[in-house]
Amino acid sequence: MTTASWTLRCSACDTEAAIERASLCTACGQPLFARYQPVPSGTPLAPRWDMWRYAPFMPLLAGEAPVSLGEGLTPLIESTSLAAAVGVRKLFIKDEAQNPTGSFKARGMSAAVTRAKAAGVPGIVVPTAGNAGAALAAYGAAAGLKVRVYAPRTTPRPILDTIEAFGAELIRIDGHIGDAGKLSLAYAAESGFFAISTLREPYRVEGMKTMGFELAEQFGWRVPDVVVYPTGGGEGTVGIWKALQELSAGGWLSGERVQPQYVVAQAAGCAPIARAFDAGAEKAEPWVDPVTYASGLRVPSPLGDRLVLRILRETNGVAATASEEAIREWTYRLATATGIDAAPEDGCALAVLRDAVAAGRVKADAEVVVFNTGSGASYRA
């Protein structure tokens, strides 16, 4: 495969970092980004049928083979009935449930585990609200690496069962993902395991950005008007934005639009980014006592808060919430209208979109892509 020329730099202050075993920026504490020389339009993509076909944009070194289970290249499904229900001209569902382990998290773990394996780490540890733990367990098994996962006891049982099915050590805790994060960092410090949590290490977002590459390619190398993403930690939104920036730098995108309008959907019971956006803040304050059925949105202190808020303001975006009742209603409406077995996070996304259109914050003539981040089956005991 053709590989990229890349370095690792801080997303905020541009300080350079070593590419292996990297965590947050040592100068300012913000997330690190892989930075690439522009990849010219027309550069051949890799001759393979998974997310690593975008290898010229990915953090690989010459001769490396990624740790892959066939992630990516998920379908884009149009629904005229849902478009009418929420009040937009066109609506598409990008169905990330069709990834290995049933969620978009497979993309990030493929990239992160690839770099962790190259660094020779003795094992990997992660806190999870659910799907990230299942994905890491699978990719750790594929790489031959030991995995420890810290998960709240309230995590859906099918996801916990999946984590153990891949041989990972599962530690159930009382509390939320923030509590799990503290325990995972403490374990990493004492054991030498590498901590792979959202945006704390720089490569999960590199896997997530392949959603942006696929979206642009599926639209004929152009950008839709609006992207709606159910947001907990923020790496999905950040990844798509980063991918479109990189495509634009290489001249891949047609038309004047480089970025869509982003709509960040959060549950009313855990909405630190929506609250910060409404307040005009640059960062989000921790949410006390996060509660929502959509466990992937139960992230009280997202590390990507500054980046997500910046993206929203750059793109005239929207950050809003849905009630538990609305989440359940729109998850059911999505399933019965499309046949897509969606996670409740996508029900949240549709409910927020409907309200944003009604309020005039998203235009009725928009072409909209809503991301279904995971499988509804993961939430059924």
Side-chain angles (χ1 to χ4, degrees):
M1 295 187 293
T2 301
T3 54
S5 173
W6 58 283
T7 57
L8 206 58
R9 293 186 173 274
C10 178
S11 62
C13 71
D14 205 41
T15 298
E16 188 168 358
I19 65 171
E20 303 297 7
R21 294 176 180 260
S23 185
L24 299 176
C25 175
T26 56
C28 71
Q30 289 299 297
L32 298 171
F33 273 174
R35 299 290 191 188
Y36 303 81
Q37 294 296 317
V39 179
S41 174
T43 298
L45 301 178
R48 53 187 294 155
W49 203 243
D50 57 25
M51 78 174 196
W52 292 96
R53 71 191 302 267
Y54 302 106
F57 297 89
M58 297 292 284
L60 284 174
L61 300 179
E64 281 186 336
V67 179
S68 176
L69 293 171
E71 56 291 322
L73 303 190
T74 57
L76 189 67
I77 301 166
E78 184 173 8
S79 174
T80 56
S81 61
L82 285 178
V86 300
V88 296
R89 178 172 58 88
K90 285 190 174 185
L91 187 143
F92 300 84
I93 305 294
K94 179 74 166 156
D95 189 11
E96 291 296 296
Q98 297 194 36
N99 276 296
T101 71
S103 84
F104 78 118
K105 298 291 187 178
R107 297 177 185 266
M109 292 308 179
S110 176
V113 171
T114 293
R115 292 261 50 88
K117 182 180 180 181
V121 302
I124 315 171
V125 59
V126 74
T128 188
N131 286 320
L136 182 60
Y139 284 88
L145 290 172
K146 294 179 180 179
V147 172
R148 177 181 277 210
V149 177
Y150 289 88
R153 295 186 190 278
T154 53
T155 302
R157 177 62 183 272
I159 298 177
L160 296 178
D161 289 346
T162 299
I163 292 168
E164 292 187 314
F166 287 116
E169 182 182 8
L170 174 62
I171 311 297
R172 294 172 172 87
I173 70 157
D174 297 315
H176 53 65
I177 190 173
D179 303 312
K182 294 174 184 176
L183 291 169
S184 68
L185 289 176
Y187 182 75
E190 71 183 42
S191 68
F193 274 39
F194 188 62
I196 298 186
S197 55
T198 301
L199 290 168
R200 182 171 290 277
E201 68 82 50
Y203 300 117
R204 279 177 59 171
V205 75
E206 294 300 296
M208 298 307 183
K209 78 180 183 183
T210 61
M211 292 186 289
F213 296 145
E214 288 176 27
L215 190 61
E217 187 171 8
Q218 286 170 315
F219 273 90
W221 298 112
R222 65 178 181 85
V223 178
D225 298 321
V226 179
V227 163
V228 186
Y229 210 96
T231 299
E235 66 184 352
T237 303
V238 172
I240 295 167
W241 170 84
K242 188 174 188 292
L244 296 177
Q245 293 286 90
E246 291 170 3
L247 288 174
S248 177
W252 290 77
L253 299 177
S254 61
E256 295 182 2
R257 184 185 297 276
V258 173
Q259 296 286 352
Q261 179 188 29
Y262 288 93
V263 177
V264 161
Q266 297 201 290
C270 185
I273 290 175
R275 181 176 64 186
F277 184 71
D278 287 344
E282 292 185 1
K283 63 183 184 70
E285 296 300 322
W287 191 274
V288 178
D289 297 328
V291 178
T292 176
Y293 164 64
S295 62
L297 304 181
R298 206 184 301 143
V299 182
S301 300
L303 189 57
D305 55 347
R306 294 174 186 267
L307 285 165
V308 174
L309 289 166
R310 170 187 161 190
I311 290 165
L312 289 170
R313 296 197 170 102
E314 286 180 355
T315 64
N316 190 33
V318 176
T321 67
S323 68
E324 295 298 290
E325 294 76 12
I327 290 172
R328 291 179 183 274
E329 174 192 347
W330 281 92
T331 304
Y332 178 78
R333 292 182 72 168
L334 170 60
T336 56
T338 67
I340 296 170
D341 188 10
E345 288 83 0
D346 200 43
C348 180
L350 284 170
V352 165
L353 173 62
R354 183 271 316 269
D355 291 347
V357 174
R361 301 174 75 184
V362 169
K363 294 180 179 178
D365 66 350
E367 180 182 57
V368 180
V369 175
V370 178
F371 276 78
N372 174 41
T373 54
S375 171
S378 297
Y379 291 79
R380 292 192 291 272

